Amino acid sequence: MASHGVRGRSGGRPTLEEVAARAGVGRGTVSRVINGSPRVSDATRAAVEAAVEELGYVPNTAARALAANRTDAIALVVPEPETRFFAEPYFSDMLKGVGSELSDTEMQLLLIFAGSDRERERLAQYLAAHRVDGVLLVSVHADDPLPDLLTQLEIPAVISGPRSAAEPLASVDSDNYGGARSAVEHLLSRGRGRIAHITGHLAVYGAQRRVDGYRDALREAGHEVDEGLIEPGDFTEEGGRRAMAELLRRHPDIDAVFAASDVTAAGAGQVLREAGRRIPDDVALVGYDDSAIARHMEPPLTSVRQPIEEMGRAMIDLLLTEIADRRPAASRGLERHQVVLATELVERRSS
């Protein structure tokens, strides 16, 4: 017999997340069943409906009333120039994950670039007209006004990587701190003592966390942190070249480099070879992302793997929950969703 009115774990009304846990599926799948998507198997639909009945879950009535006014469109917003999007594997892998998860729904995906002031103004007008049901934000800098605009417009949104530790929006990220630590610990285990770090764009919180992981790994191994061995980069190949040239000028005795992305590591590797430094004999090199670039470099690049496609899928899963609930994460306080996925060091011949 159904147990209507069952209290959730929090003691209040059962949540979408609790229904998902009871049915053994993701939150996005529950959202699709509740919203009548045909792209759900009969067995899954039955499991979700049974969990809804058992828990006495009642969907947000305001959201259901608004359902007929939905656009069935989601925007993937990249506040970067198009050239960077197509040059870096991170973005294509993220798009692949988003697309694969969205294929189970009736939602259309719009790719929007907002790298210039003019593009941002057009985007603001577009969003203000509520032409999409939700927004995915990728590669957001700390001072970017777009997340706050989405909150003001009450448009459901998920951000790839929080802007700070106090991010109010739902977010999905990888363990940047732990990934950086594993890279530096690996280099230390190889006997390297002068380890430099080429950072990502430091307006990105994930890049800051990688610097934190680098510093803490050195300190815990008993090494002093020489701030002169940390050179700002911007995740790009050209940034890697500039930073590596500057590091060699200031510290010709470095014997290892941890770069904040594989693309950056590729640029650094070019400068090392031009300077007559052998990899890894003279200078060991570690990147971040474990992209195709890492496998195709010579020697193949040791790199920190972050599950970028999985991050894209998780972002869609969260966003479908936001849309079904119709309350931006910022309005839920402690209920906000912040997902952090594990990283893994992939060892190759560059270190």
Side-chain angles (χ1 to χ4, degrees):
M1 188 172 180
S3 54
H4 293 285
V6 172
R7 291 286 181 179
R9 286 190 297 269
S10 62
R13 190 176 69 179
T15 66
L16 198 73
E17 191 170 29
E18 289 167 345
V19 173
R22 179 65 61 92
V25 298
R27 291 181 297 273
T29 300
V30 176
S31 298
R32 288 191 281 276
V33 172
I34 290 172
N35 290 297
S37 170
R39 297 194 177 185
V40 180
S41 71
D42 290 342
T44 297
R45 186 181 304 281
V48 171
E49 289 174 348
V52 166
E53 180 75 7
E54 185 176 348
L55 289 173
Y57 174 75
V58 180
N60 184 304
T61 53
R64 300 304 298 271
L66 288 170
N69 295 324
R70 289 183 180 170
T71 64
D72 286 333
I74 286 173
L76 174 62
V77 177
V78 184
E80 299 282 358
E82 291 182 44
T83 51
R84 185 179 169 202
F85 179 90
F86 291 108
E88 296 185 28
Y90 173 87
F91 294 107
S92 59
D93 288 346
M94 178 69 73
L95 183 59
K96 184 177 180 181
V98 166
S100 66
E101 188 71 8
L102 205 56
S103 66
D104 289 335
T105 76
E106 295 300 313
M107 293 283 192
Q108 297 297 313
L109 181 66
L110 307 176
L111 177 60
I112 301 176
F113 297 101
S116 68
D117 290 341
R118 184 178 179 186
E119 288 173 335
R120 286 168 185 268
E121 288 173 9
R122 284 203 304 264
L123 175 61
Q125 293 172 358
Y126 184 80
L127 294 175
H130 289 269
R131 293 179 179 174
V132 294
D133 293 324
V135 172
L136 302 173
L137 276 173
V138 180
S139 187
V140 179
H141 296 184
D143 59 351
D144 197 313
L146 281 174
D148 293 332
L149 173 63
L150 291 167
T151 299
Q152 291 167 14
L153 294 173
E154 296 188 345
I155 296 176
V158 177
I159 192 169
S160 74
R163 290 165 293 170
S164 71
E167 177 60 64
L169 290 179
S171 69
V172 176
D173 204 1
S174 68
D175 183 5
N176 292 288
Y177 176 82
R181 282 185 62 107
S182 68
V184 176
E185 288 166 355
H186 167 72
L187 290 168
L188 289 168
S189 74
R190 292 291 192 269
R192 308 293 170 153
R194 295 286 287 167
I195 303 172
H197 177 40
I198 301 176
T199 76
H201 199 304
L202 291 175
V204 175
Y205 183 60
Q208 298 170 28
R209 293 300 288 153
R210 291 177 198 178
V211 176
D212 292 341
Y214 162 86
R215 289 191 178 110
D216 286 353
L218 289 174
R219 289 192 187 105
E220 291 191 16
H223 291 253
E224 258 189 55
V225 177
D226 182 347
E227 295 295 327
L229 289 173
I230 301 174
E231 184 64 23
D234 56 6
F235 294 117
T236 68
E237 184 175 353
E238 180 55 35
R241 283 194 288 264
R242 287 195 303 267
M244 191 70 253
E246 180 61 22
L247 284 167
L248 285 177
R249 185 188 69 78
R250 290 202 313 262
H251 300 283
D253 60 336
I254 59 175
D255 59 10
V257 176
F258 165 47
S261 75
D262 292 344
V263 176
T264 295
Q270 291 173 12
V271 172
L272 287 170
R273 284 190 293 274
E274 290 165 2
R277 306 297 177 92
R278 297 167 299 166
I279 302 171
D281 305 65
D282 301 320
V283 180
L285 184 60
V286 174
Y288 205 104
D289 289 335
D290 189 38
S291 63
I293 289 172
R295 298 187 291 276
H296 296 151
M297 282 178 62
E298 183 53 45
L301 181 68
T302 294
S303 183
V304 177
R305 175 183 295 161
Q306 57 174 339
I308 301 172
E309 284 188 39
E310 186 181 346
M311 289 166 63
R313 291 193 294 270
M315 288 181 72
I316 285 293
D317 192 41
L318 277 182
L319 186 58
L320 289 174
T321 302
E322 301 286 318
I323 291 170
D325 194 59
R326 280 296 187 189
R327 287 181 301 158
S331 71
R332 298 194 210 125
L334 295 177
E335 289 183 53
R336 68 188 181 191
H337 294 296
Q338 304 214 326
V339 176
V340 179
L341 302 176
T343 57
E344 174 190 0
L345 183 73
V346 180
E347 297 181 24
R348 297 190 179 92
R349 289 192 287 115
S350 71
S351 59

